[in-house]
Coordinates of all heavy atoms in Angstrom, one line a residue:
M275 N 0.8 -1.2 0.0 CA -0.1 0.0 0.0 C 1.0 1.2 0.0 O 1.8 1.3 0.8 CB -0.8 0.0 1.3 CG -1.7 1.2 1.3 SD -2.8 1.4 2.7 CE -3.6 -0.1 2.9
K276 N 0.6 2.1 -0.9 CA 1.4 3.4 -1.0 C 1.0 4.4 0.1 O -0.2 4.4 0.5 CB 1.1 4.0 -2.3 CG 1.6 3.2 -3.5 CD 3.0 3.4 -3.7 CE 3.5 2.7 -4.9 NZ 4.9 2.7 -5.2
K277 N 1.9 5.1 0.6 CA 1.6 6.2 1.6 C 2.0 7.5 1.1 O 3.2 7.8 0.6 CB 2.4 5.9 2.8 CG 2.0 4.5 3.6 CD 2.8 4.3 4.9 CE 2.4 3.0 5.5 NZ 3.3 2.8 6.7
I278 N 1.1 8.4 1.2 CA 1.2 9.7 0.7 C 1.2 10.8 2.0 O 0.1 10.7 2.8 CB 0.2 10.3 -0.3 CG1 0.2 9.3 -1.5 CG2 0.3 11.6 -0.6 CD1 -0.9 9.5 -2.5
M279 N 2.0 11.5 2.1 CA 2.1 12.4 3.3 C 1.9 13.9 2.8 O 2.8 14.2 2.0 CB 3.4 12.3 4.2 CG 3.5 13.1 5.2 SD 5.0 12.9 6.5 CE 6.3 13.2 5.4
L280 N 1.1 14.5 3.3 CA 1.0 16.0 3.0 C 1.5 16.7 4.3 O 1.4 16.4 5.5 CB -0.4 16.4 3.0 CG -1.4 15.7 1.8 CD1 -2.8 16.2 1.8 CD2 -0.5 15.7 0.5
V281 N 2.3 17.7 4.1 CA 2.9 18.5 5.0 C 2.5 20.0 5.0 O 2.6 20.5 3.9 CB 4.5 18.5 4.9 CG1 5.2 19.2 6.1 CG2 5.0 17.0 5.0
C282 N 2.1 20.5 6.2 CA 1.7 21.9 6.2 C 2.1 22.5 7.4 O 3.0 21.9 8.2 CB 0.2 22.1 5.9 SG -0.8 21.4 7.3
S283 N 1.7 23.7 7.8 CA 2.2 24.5 9.0 C 2.0 23.6 10.2 O 2.8 23.5 11.1 CB 1.7 25.8 9.0 OG 2.1 26.6 8.0
A284 N 0.6 23.4 10.4 CA 0.1 22.8 11.6 C -0.5 21.4 11.3 O -0.9 20.6 12.3 CB -0.8 23.6 12.3
G285 N -0.7 20.8 10.1 CA -1.2 19.6 9.7 C -2.7 19.7 9.6 O -3.3 18.6 9.5
M286 N -3.3 20.8 10.0 CA -4.7 20.9 9.9 C -5.3 21.5 8.7 O -6.3 21.1 8.2 CB -5.2 21.8 11.1 CG -4.6 21.2 12.4 SD -5.3 21.5 14.0 CE -6.7 22.5 14.0
S287 N -4.6 22.3 8.0 CA -5.1 23.0 6.8 C -5.3 22.0 5.6 O -6.0 22.2 4.8 CB -4.3 24.2 6.3 OG -3.0 23.7 6.0
T288 N -4.6 20.9 5.7 CA -4.6 19.9 4.6 C -5.6 18.7 5.0 O -5.7 17.8 4.1 CB -3.3 19.3 4.3 OG1 -2.6 19.0 5.5 CG2 -2.4 20.5 3.5
S289 N -6.2 18.7 6.2 CA -7.0 17.6 6.5 C -8.3 17.4 5.6 O -8.5 16.2 5.3 CB -7.3 17.7 8.0 OG -8.0 18.9 8.2
L290 N -8.8 18.4 5.2 CA -9.9 18.4 4.2 C -9.4 17.8 2.9 O -10.1 16.9 2.3 CB -10.6 19.7 4.0 CG -11.8 19.8 3.1 CD1 -12.9 18.8 3.5 CD2 -12.3 21.1 3.0
L291 N -8.3 18.2 2.5 CA -7.8 17.7 1.1 C -7.4 16.2 1.4 O -7.7 15.5 0.3 CB -6.4 18.4 0.8 CG -5.7 18.0 -0.4 CD1 -6.6 18.3 -1.5 CD2 -4.5 18.9 -0.5
V292 N -6.9 15.8 2.5 CA -6.7 14.3 2.6 C -8.0 13.6 2.4 O -8.1 12.6 1.7 CB -6.2 14.0 4.1 CG1 -6.3 12.6 4.5 CG2 -4.7 14.5 4.3
T293 N -9.0 14.0 3.1 CA -10.4 13.4 2.9 C -10.8 13.4 1.3 O -11.2 12.3 0.8 CB -11.5 14.1 3.6 OG1 -11.1 14.0 5.0 CG2 -12.9 13.4 3.5
K294 N -10.6 14.4 0.7 CA -11.0 14.5 -0.8 C -10.0 13.6 -1.5 O -10.4 13.0 -2.6 CB -10.9 16.0 -1.4 CG -12.0 16.7 -0.7 CD -11.9 18.2 -1.3 CE -13.1 19.0 -0.7 NZ -12.9 20.5 -1.2
M295 N -8.7 13.4 -1.3 CA -7.8 12.5 -1.8 C -8.1 11.2 -1.7 O -8.1 10.3 -2.5 CB -6.4 12.8 -1.5 CG -5.8 14.2 -2.0 SD -4.1 14.4 -1.3 CE -3.2 13.2 -2.1
E296 N -8.6 10.7 -0.4 CA -9.1 9.5 -0.1 C -10.1 9.1 -1.0 O -10.3 7.9 -1.5 CB -9.2 9.3 1.4 CG -8.0 9.3 2.2 CD -8.4 9.4 3.7 OE1 -9.4 9.9 4.1 OE2 -7.4 9.0 4.4
Q297 N -11.2 9.9 -1.2 CA -12.3 9.7 -1.9 C -11.9 9.5 -3.4 O -12.5 8.6 -4.0 CB -13.4 11.0 -1.8 CG -13.9 11.0 -0.4 CD -14.7 12.3 -0.2 OE1 -14.6 13.3 -1.0 NE2 -15.5 12.3 0.8
A298 N -11.1 10.3 -3.9 CA -10.6 10.1 -5.3 C -9.8 8.8 -5.5 O -10.1 8.0 -6.5 CB -9.6 11.2 -5.7
A299 N -9.1 8.4 -4.5 CA -8.4 7.0 -4.6 C -9.6 5.8 -4.5 O -9.4 4.9 -5.3 CB -7.4 6.9 -3.4
E300 N -10.4 6.1 -3.6 CA -11.6 4.9 -3.4 C -12.3 4.9 -4.8 O -12.7 3.8 -5.2 CB -12.4 5.4 -2.3 CG -13.4 4.3 -2.0 CD -14.3 4.7 -0.8 OE1 -13.6 5.1 0.2 OE2 -15.4 4.6 -0.9
K301 N -12.5 6.1 -5.5 CA -13.3 6.0 -6.8 C -12.6 5.2 -7.7 O -13.3 4.6 -8.6 CB -13.4 7.5 -7.1 CG -14.4 7.7 -8.2 CD -14.9 9.2 -8.3 CE -14.1 9.9 -9.3 NZ -14.6 11.2 -9.5
V302 N -11.4 5.2 -7.9 CA -10.7 4.4 -8.8 C -10.2 3.0 -8.4 O -9.6 2.2 -9.0 CB -9.4 5.2 -9.5 CG1 -10.0 6.3 -10.3 CG2 -8.4 5.5 -8.3
G303 N -10.6 2.7 -7.1 CA -10.1 1.5 -6.5 C -8.7 1.3 -6.0 O -8.2 0.1 -5.7
D304 N -8.1 2.3 -5.7 CA -6.7 2.3 -5.2 C -6.8 2.3 -3.7 O -7.5 2.9 -3.1 CB -5.9 3.6 -5.6 CG -5.6 3.6 -7.1 OD1 -5.8 2.7 -7.8 OD2 -5.2 4.7 -7.5
E305 N -5.9 1.4 -3.2 CA -5.6 1.4 -1.7 C -4.4 2.1 -1.3 O -3.3 1.8 -1.7 CB -5.4 -0.1 -1.2 CG -6.8 -0.8 -1.1 CD -6.6 -2.3 -0.4 OE1 -5.9 -2.3 0.5 OE2 -7.1 -3.2 -1.0
V306 N -4.6 3.3 -0.7 CA -3.5 4.1 -0.3 C -3.8 4.7 1.1 O -4.9 4.7 1.7 CB -3.2 5.4 -1.2 CG1 -2.9 5.0 -2.6 CG2 -4.6 6.2 -1.2
E307 N -2.8 5.1 1.8 CA -2.8 5.7 3.0 C -2.3 7.1 2.9 O -1.2 7.4 2.3 CB -1.9 5.1 4.2 CG -2.0 5.7 5.5 CD -1.1 5.1 6.6 OE1 -0.6 3.9 6.2 OE2 -0.8 5.8 7.4
I308 N -3.3 8.1 3.2 CA -3.0 9.5 2.9 C -3.1 10.3 4.4 O -4.2 9.9 5.0 CB -3.9 10.2 2.0 CG1 -3.8 9.3 0.7 CG2 -3.6 11.6 1.6 CD1 -4.9 9.7 -0.4
F309 N -2.2 11.0 4.7 CA -2.3 11.6 6.0 C -1.5 13.0 5.9 O -0.7 13.1 5.0 CB -1.8 10.8 7.1 CG -0.3 10.4 6.9 CD1 0.7 11.1 7.5 CD2 0.0 9.3 6.2 CE1 2.0 10.7 7.4 CE2 1.3 8.9 6.2 CZ 2.3 9.6 6.7
A310 N -1.9 13.9 6.9 CA -1.3 15.2 7.0 C -0.5 15.5 8.3 O -1.2 14.9 9.3 CB -2.2 16.3 6.8
L311 N 0.6 16.0 8.3 CA 1.3 16.3 9.5 C 1.9 17.8 9.4 O 2.2 18.3 8.3 CB 2.5 15.4 9.6 CG 2.1 13.9 10.0 CD1 3.4 13.0 9.9 CD2 1.5 13.7 11.4
P312 N 2.2 18.3 10.6 CA 2.9 19.5 10.6 C 4.4 19.3 10.2 O 4.9 18.2 10.3 CB 2.9 20.1 12.0 CG 2.5 18.9 12.7 CD 1.8 17.9 11.9
M313 N 5.1 20.3 9.7 CA 6.3 20.2 9.2 C 7.3 19.5 10.2 O 8.1 18.7 9.9 CB 6.9 21.7 8.9 CG 8.2 21.7 8.4 SD 8.4 21.1 6.8 CE 10.1 21.0 6.5
S314 N 7.1 19.8 11.5 CA 8.0 19.3 12.5 C 7.8 17.9 12.7 O 8.9 17.1 12.9 CB 7.8 20.0 13.9 OG 6.3 19.8 14.2
D315 N 6.8 17.3 12.5 CA 6.5 15.8 12.5 C 6.8 15.1 11.1 O 7.3 14.0 11.2 CB 5.1 15.6 12.9 CG 4.8 15.9 14.4 OD1 5.7 16.1 15.2 OD2 3.6 16.2 14.7
G316 N 6.5 15.8 10.2 CA 6.7 15.1 8.8 C 8.1 14.9 8.5 O 8.3 13.7 7.9
I317 N 9.0 15.6 8.9 CA 10.3 15.4 8.6 C 10.9 14.1 9.2 O 11.8 13.4 8.7 CB 11.3 16.7 9.1 CG1 12.4 16.7 8.2 CG2 11.6 16.7 10.5 CD1 13.0 18.1 8.0
N318 N 10.2 13.7 10.3 CA 10.6 12.4 11.0 C 10.0 11.2 10.3 O 10.2 10.1 10.6 CB 10.3 12.5 12.4 CG 10.9 13.6 13.2 OD1 12.1 13.7 12.9 ND2 10.3 14.3 14.0
R319 N 9.1 11.5 9.3 CA 8.4 10.3 8.8 C 8.9 10.0 7.4 O 8.3 9.2 6.6 CB 6.9 10.5 8.7 CG 6.3 10.6 10.1 CD 5.9 9.3 10.8 NE 5.2 8.4 10.0 CZ 3.9 8.2 10.0 NH1 3.1 9.0 10.8 NH2 3.3 7.4 9.2
L320 N 9.9 10.8 6.9 CA 10.4 10.7 5.5 C 10.6 9.2 5.0 O 10.6 8.8 3.9 CB 11.5 11.6 5.1 CG 11.1 13.0 5.3 CD1 12.4 13.9 5.2 CD2 10.2 13.4 4.2
S321 N 11.1 8.5 5.9 CA 11.6 7.1 5.6 C 10.4 6.1 5.5 O 10.6 4.9 5.0 CB 12.5 6.5 6.7 OG 12.0 6.4 7.9
T322 N 9.2 6.6 5.8 CA 8.0 5.6 5.9 C 7.1 5.9 4.8 O 6.0 5.2 4.9 CB 7.4 5.7 7.3 OG1 6.8 7.0 7.4 CG2 8.3 5.5 8.4
V323 N 7.3 6.8 3.9 CA 6.3 7.2 3.0 C 6.9 7.0 1.5 O 8.0 6.9 1.2 CB 5.7 8.6 3.2 CG1 5.1 8.7 4.6 CG2 6.9 9.7 3.2
D324 N 5.8 7.0 0.6 CA 6.1 6.9 -0.9 C 6.1 8.2 -1.7 O 6.5 8.3 -2.7 CB 5.2 5.9 -1.4 CG 5.2 4.6 -0.8 OD1 6.3 4.0 -1.0 OD2 4.3 4.1 -0.2
C325 N 5.6 9.3 -1.0 CA 5.4 10.5 -1.7 C 5.2 11.6 -0.6 O 4.4 11.4 0.4 CB 4.2 10.5 -2.6 SG 4.0 12.1 -3.6
V326 N 5.7 12.8 -0.7 CA 5.6 13.9 0.1 C 5.2 15.1 -0.6 O 5.8 15.6 -1.7 CB 6.8 14.2 0.9 CG1 6.6 15.5 1.9 CG2 7.4 13.1 1.6
L327 N 4.1 15.7 -0.3 CA 3.4 16.9 -0.8 C 3.5 17.9 0.2 O 2.9 17.8 1.2 CB 2.2 16.7 -1.5 CG 2.1 15.6 -2.6 CD1 0.7 15.3 -3.0 CD2 2.9 16.0 -3.8
L328 N 4.0 19.1 -0.1 CA 4.1 20.2 0.9 C 3.1 21.3 0.5 O 2.8 21.6 -0.7 CB 5.4 21.0 0.8 CG 6.6 20.4 1.6 CD1 7.0 19.0 1.0 CD2 7.8 21.4 1.6
G329 N 2.3 21.7 1.4 CA 1.3 22.8 1.2 C 1.9 24.1 0.8 O 3.2 24.3 1.1
P330 N 1.3 24.9 0.2 CA 1.7 26.2 -0.3 C 2.6 27.1 0.9 O 3.4 27.8 0.6 CB 0.7 26.9 -0.8 CG -0.5 26.0 -1.1 CD -0.2 24.9 -0.2
Q331 N 1.9 27.0 1.9 CA 2.4 27.9 3.2 C 3.8 27.3 3.7 O 4.4 28.1 4.3 CB 1.4 28.0 4.2 CG 1.3 26.7 5.1 CD 0.2 25.7 4.5 OE1 0.0 25.6 3.3 NE2 -0.5 25.0 5.4
V332 N 4.2 26.1 3.3 CA 5.6 25.7 3.9 C 6.4 25.3 2.5 O 7.5 24.7 2.7 CB 5.4 24.5 4.7 CG1 4.8 24.7 6.0 CG2 4.8 23.3 3.9
R333 N 6.0 26.0 1.5 CA 6.9 25.7 0.2 C 8.5 26.2 0.4 O 9.3 25.6 -0.3 CB 6.4 26.5 -1.0 CG 6.6 27.9 -0.9 CD 5.9 28.7 -2.2 NE 5.9 27.9 -3.5 CZ 4.8 27.7 -4.1 NH1 3.6 28.2 -3.6 NH2 4.7 26.9 -5.1
F334 N 8.7 27.1 1.3 CA 10.1 27.6 1.5 C 10.9 26.3 2.1 O 12.1 26.4 2.1 CB 10.1 28.7 2.3 CG 9.6 28.5 3.7 CD1 10.3 28.2 4.8 CD2 8.2 28.8 4.0 CE1 9.8 28.0 6.1 CE2 7.7 28.5 5.2 CZ 8.4 28.1 6.3
N335 N 10.2 25.3 2.6 CA 11.0 24.1 3.1 C 11.3 23.1 2.1 O 11.9 22.0 2.5 CB 10.2 23.5 4.3 CG 10.2 24.4 5.6 OD1 11.2 24.7 6.0 ND2 9.0 24.8 6.0
L336 N 11.0 23.3 0.9 CA 11.2 22.2 -0.2 C 12.6 21.7 -0.2 O 12.8 20.5 -0.2 CB 10.7 22.8 -1.6 CG 10.8 21.7 -2.7 CD1 9.9 20.5 -2.5 CD2 10.5 22.4 -4.0
G337 N 13.5 22.7 -0.2 CA 15.0 22.2 -0.3 C 15.4 21.4 0.9 O 16.0 20.4 0.8
K338 N 14.9 21.8 2.2 CA 15.2 21.1 3.3 C 14.6 19.7 3.3 O 15.3 18.8 3.7 CB 14.6 22.0 4.5 CG 14.9 21.3 5.8 CD 14.4 22.1 7.0 CE 14.6 21.4 8.3 NZ 14.0 22.2 9.4
I339 N 13.4 19.6 3.0 CA 12.8 18.3 2.9 C 13.5 17.4 1.9 O 13.7 16.2 2.2 CB 11.3 18.4 2.6 CG1 10.5 19.0 3.7 CG2 10.6 17.0 2.3 CD1 10.2 18.3 4.9
K340 N 13.7 17.9 0.7 CA 14.5 17.1 -0.3 C 15.8 16.6 0.2 O 16.2 15.5 -0.1 CB 14.6 17.9 -1.6 CG 13.3 18.0 -2.3 CD 13.6 18.6 -3.8 CE 12.3 18.4 -4.6 NZ 12.5 19.0 -6.0
E341 N 16.4 17.6 0.9 CA 17.8 17.2 1.5 C 17.7 16.1 2.4 O 18.4 15.2 2.5 CB 18.5 18.4 2.0 CG 19.8 18.2 2.5 CD 20.4 19.5 3.1 OE1 20.3 20.6 2.4 OE2 21.0 19.5 4.2
E342 N 16.7 16.2 3.4 CA 16.6 15.2 4.4 C 16.1 13.9 3.8 O 16.5 12.7 4.2 CB 15.5 15.6 5.5 CG 16.1 16.8 6.4 CD 17.3 16.4 7.1 OE1 17.4 15.3 7.7 OE2 18.3 17.2 7.1
A343 N 15.2 13.9 2.8 CA 14.6 12.7 2.1 C 15.8 12.0 1.4 O 15.8 10.7 1.5 CB 13.5 13.2 1.1
A344 N 16.7 12.7 0.8 CA 17.8 12.0 0.0 C 18.6 11.2 1.1 O 19.3 10.2 0.7 CB 18.7 13.1 -0.6
K345 N 18.8 11.6 2.3 CA 19.5 10.8 3.4 C 18.8 9.6 3.8 O 19.5 8.6 4.0 CB 19.7 11.7 4.6 CG 20.5 12.9 4.3 CD 20.6 13.7 5.7 CE 21.2 15.1 5.6 NZ 21.2 15.9 6.7
V346 N 17.5 9.5 3.9 CA 16.9 8.5 4.4 C 15.9 7.6 3.6 O 15.6 6.5 3.8 CB 15.9 8.8 5.8 CG1 16.7 9.5 6.8 CG2 14.9 9.8 5.3
N347 N 15.5 8.2 2.4 CA 14.7 7.6 1.5 C 15.0 8.1 0.1 O 14.2 8.8 -0.5 CB 13.2 7.9 1.9 CG 12.3 6.9 1.0 OD1 12.6 6.3 0.2 ND2 11.0 7.1 1.5
P348 N 16.3 7.8 -0.5 CA 16.6 8.3 -1.8 C 15.6 7.9 -2.9 O 15.0 6.9 -2.9 CB 17.9 7.6 -2.0 CG 18.5 7.1 -0.8 CD 17.2 6.8 0.1
G349 N 15.3 9.0 -3.7 CA 14.3 8.8 -4.7 C 12.8 9.1 -4.3 O 12.0 9.1 -5.1
L350 N 12.7 9.4 -3.1 CA 11.3 9.8 -2.5 C 10.9 11.1 -3.3 O 11.6 12.1 -3.4 CB 11.4 10.2 -1.1 CG 10.1 10.6 -0.5 CD1 9.1 9.5 -0.5 CD2 10.4 11.1 1.0
P351 N 9.8 11.0 -4.0 CA 9.2 12.3 -4.7 C 8.8 13.2 -3.7 O 7.9 12.9 -2.8 CB 8.0 11.6 -5.6 CG 7.8 10.3 -5.1 CD 8.9 9.9 -4.3
V352 N 9.2 14.4 -3.8 CA 8.8 15.6 -2.9 C 8.4 16.7 -3.8 O 9.3 17.1 -4.7 CB 9.9 15.9 -1.8 CG1 9.6 17.0 -0.9 CG2 10.4 14.7 -1.1
D353 N 7.4 17.4 -3.5 CA 7.0 18.6 -4.4 C 6.1 19.5 -3.6 O 5.5 19.0 -2.6 CB 6.4 18.2 -5.6 CG 6.7 19.3 -6.8 OD1 7.1 20.2 -6.4 OD2 6.3 19.0 -7.9
V354 N 5.8 20.6 -4.1 CA 4.9 21.5 -3.5 C 3.6 21.5 -4.3 O 3.5 21.4 -5.5 CB 5.5 22.9 -3.4 CG1 4.4 24.0 -3.1 CG2 6.7 23.2 -2.8
I355 N 2.4 21.6 -3.5 CA 1.1 21.6 -4.4 C 0.6 23.1 -4.1 O 0.6 23.7 -3.1 CB 0.1 20.6 -3.8 CG1 0.0 20.7 -2.2 CG2 0.6 19.2 -4.2 CD1 -1.1 19.9 -1.6
D356 N 0.0 23.5 -5.1 CA -0.7 24.9 -5.1 C -2.3 24.7 -5.1 O -3.0 25.5 -4.8 CB -0.2 25.7 -6.3 CG 1.2 26.1 -6.3 OD1 1.6 26.4 -5.1 OD2 1.9 26.2 -7.3
M357 N -2.7 23.5 -5.5 CA -4.2 23.3 -5.7 C -4.7 22.5 -4.5 O -4.0 21.9 -3.8 CB -4.4 22.6 -6.9 CG -3.7 21.2 -7.0 SD -3.3 20.7 -8.7 CE -1.7 19.9 -8.5
M358 N -6.0 22.8 -4.2 CA -6.6 22.0 -3.1 C -7.7 21.1 -3.5 O -8.6 20.7 -2.9 CB -7.0 22.9 -2.1 CG -5.9 23.7 -1.3 SD -4.8 22.8 -0.6 CE -5.4 22.6 1.0
N359 N -7.6 20.8 -4.9 CA -8.5 19.8 -5.5 C -8.1 18.4 -5.3 O -7.1 17.9 -5.8 CB -8.7 20.1 -7.0 CG -9.6 19.2 -7.7 OD1 -9.3 18.0 -7.7 ND2 -10.6 19.7 -8.5
G360 N -8.9 17.7 -4.4 CA -8.5 16.3 -4.0 C -8.1 15.5 -5.2 O -7.1 14.6 -5.1
E361 N -8.9 15.4 -6.2 CA -8.6 14.4 -7.2 C -7.5 14.7 -8.1 O -6.6 13.9 -8.3 CB -9.9 14.4 -8.3 CG -9.9 13.4 -9.4 CD -11.1 13.3 -10.1 OE1 -12.1 13.7 -9.8 OE2 -11.1 12.5 -11.2
K362 N -7.3 16.1 -8.4 CA -6.1 16.5 -9.1 C -4.8 16.3 -8.2 O -3.7 15.8 -8.8 CB -6.2 18.0 -9.4 CG -7.2 18.4 -10.5 CD -7.2 19.7 -10.9 CE -8.3 20.0 -12.0 NZ -8.4 21.4 -12.2
V363 N -4.8 16.6 -6.8 CA -3.7 16.2 -6.1 C -3.3 14.9 -6.0 O -2.2 14.4 -6.0 CB -3.8 17.0 -4.7 CG1 -2.7 16.6 -3.8 CG2 -4.0 18.5 -4.8
Y364 N -4.4 14.0 -6.0 CA -4.2 12.5 -5.8 C -3.6 12.1 -7.0 O -2.6 11.3 -7.1 CB -5.4 11.8 -5.5 CG -5.2 10.3 -5.6 CD1 -4.3 9.7 -4.6 CD2 -5.7 9.5 -6.5 CE1 -4.1 8.4 -4.6 CE2 -5.5 8.1 -6.5 CZ -4.8 7.6 -5.6 OH -4.4 6.2 -5.5
N365 N -4.0 12.6 -8.2 CA -3.6 12.1 -9.6 C -2.0 12.5 -9.7 O -1.1 11.9 -10.3 CB -4.5 12.6 -10.7 CG -5.7 11.8 -10.8 OD1 -5.7 10.6 -10.4 ND2 -6.8 12.5 -11.3
Y366 N -1.7 13.8 -9.1 CA -0.4 14.3 -9.3 C 0.6 13.4 -8.4 O 1.6 13.1 -8.8 CB -0.4 15.7 -8.8 CG 0.9 16.4 -9.0 CD1 1.6 16.5 -10.1 CD2 1.6 16.9 -7.8 CE1 2.9 17.0 -10.2 CE2 3.0 17.4 -7.9 CZ 3.5 17.5 -9.2 OH 4.7 18.0 -9.2
A367 N 0.1 13.1 -7.2 CA 0.8 12.2 -6.3 C 1.2 10.9 -7.0 O 2.2 10.3 -7.0 CB 0.2 12.0 -5.0
K368 N 0.1 10.3 -7.6 CA 0.4 9.0 -8.4 C 1.4 9.1 -9.4 O 2.3 8.3 -9.7 CB -1.0 8.5 -9.0 CG -1.9 7.9 -8.0 CD -3.2 7.5 -8.6 CE -3.2 6.7 -9.8 NZ -4.4 6.1 -10.2
K369 N 1.2 10.3 -10.2 CA 2.2 10.5 -11.4 C 3.7 10.7 -10.7 O 4.7 10.0 -11.3 CB 1.9 11.8 -11.9 CG 2.8 12.3 -13.1 CD 2.4 13.5 -13.8 CE 3.4 14.0 -14.7 NZ 3.9 15.3 -14.5
L370 N 3.8 11.3 -9.6 CA 5.1 11.6 -9.0 C 5.7 10.1 -8.6 O 7.0 9.9 -8.8 CB 5.1 12.3 -7.8 CG 4.9 13.9 -8.1 CD1 4.7 14.6 -6.7 CD2 6.1 14.5 -8.8
M371 N 4.8 9.2 -8.0 CA 5.3 7.9 -7.6 C 5.6 6.9 -8.7 O 6.4 6.1 -8.6 CB 4.2 7.3 -6.8 CG 4.2 8.0 -5.3 SD 3.0 7.3 -4.2 CE 1.4 7.7 -4.9
D372 N 5.0 7.3 -9.8 CA 5.3 6.4 -11.1 C 6.5 6.8 -11.8 O 7.0 6.1 -12.8 CB 4.0 6.5 -12.1 CG 3.0 5.8 -11.5 OD1 3.1 4.9 -10.5 OD2 1.7 5.9 -11.9
E373 N 7.0 8.0 -11.7 CA 8.2 8.5 -12.4 C 9.5 7.7 -12.0 O 9.6 7.3 -10.9 CB 8.3 10.0 -12.2 CG 7.2 10.7 -13.0 CD 7.3 12.2 -12.9 OE1 8.2 12.8 -12.1 OE2 6.6 12.9 -13.5

């Protein structure tokens, strides 16, 4: 099962997006675990996930997250999302994991 982690300031602004992404995954029959954490917790989970998406408010941490990910989970896709459409974000995460 693939694991997608969303990272934001406090882990709360992306919780609605998580629900919408889960619905999009369910609609196409994918089994995934999607969760949101604040930046401080997310950095400790990099070795346990298959994709990391940063919310727009923490985009300035992209370099730091990529650097940490390279140490513990080389090849881990990490990117910033600007949209809050669950289906589009889920499809983008799938694309990143397939590359």
